[in-house]
């Protein structure tokens, strides 16, 4: 089992910025694809961004140019820098870890609330 703990969420005005962090309790962090997902009330959970062990990244179209995902393998931590935030970004943001060795083991954090409102 791998525990994931998110932090950095909060209330921010439109156009503002937040940086989310997710710390993983594994010594094999470098083998995981890490991702950020979000779920707004009444909507499906969607992938926001992913980063591979080699630091290749993907982003959903709605956040391209505004969000940046990165990882620090030495700290077993993945980050999501969110700039130019919009009210539609309001959601619970979840950290995900996918084990590339097994292609089966998959772990989720508890989530952190991001609210973008004036």
């Amino acid at each position: 089992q791998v525990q994931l703990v998110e932090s950095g969420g909060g209330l921010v005005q439109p156009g503002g910025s937040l940086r989310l962090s997710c710390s993983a309790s594994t010594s094999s962090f470098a083998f995981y694809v890490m991702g950020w997902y979000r779920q707004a009330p009444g909507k499906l959970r969607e992938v926001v961004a992913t980063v591979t062990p080699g630091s290749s990244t993907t982003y959903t179209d709605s956040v391209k140019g505004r969000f940046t995902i990165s990882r620090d393998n030495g700290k077993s931590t993945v980050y999501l820098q969110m700039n130019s935030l919009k009210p539609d970004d309001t959601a619970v943001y979840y950290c995900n870890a996918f084990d590339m060795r097994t292609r089966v083991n998959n772990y989720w954090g508890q989530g952190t609330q991001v609210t973008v409102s004036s």
Side-chain angles (χ1 to χ4, degrees), residues 49-101:
T50 65
V51 57
T52 69
S55 293
S56 296
T57 59
T58 69
Y59 300 92
T60 192
D61 285 345
S62 63
V63 309
K64 287 179 180 176
R66 300 189 297 121
F67 291 10
T68 303
I69 190 171
S70 61
R71 66 192 296 156
D72 185 333
N73 289 344
K75 296 181 178 179
S76 295
T77 300
V78 63
Y79 306 95
L80 186 67
Q81 178 66 48
M82 304 185 293
N83 299 325
S84 301
L85 283 161
K86 305 173 180 180
D88 283 351
D89 296 318
T90 296
V92 178
Y93 283 70
Y94 297 92
C95 181
N96 173 265
F98 183 72
D99 191 338
M100 294 298 289
R101 297 167 296 177

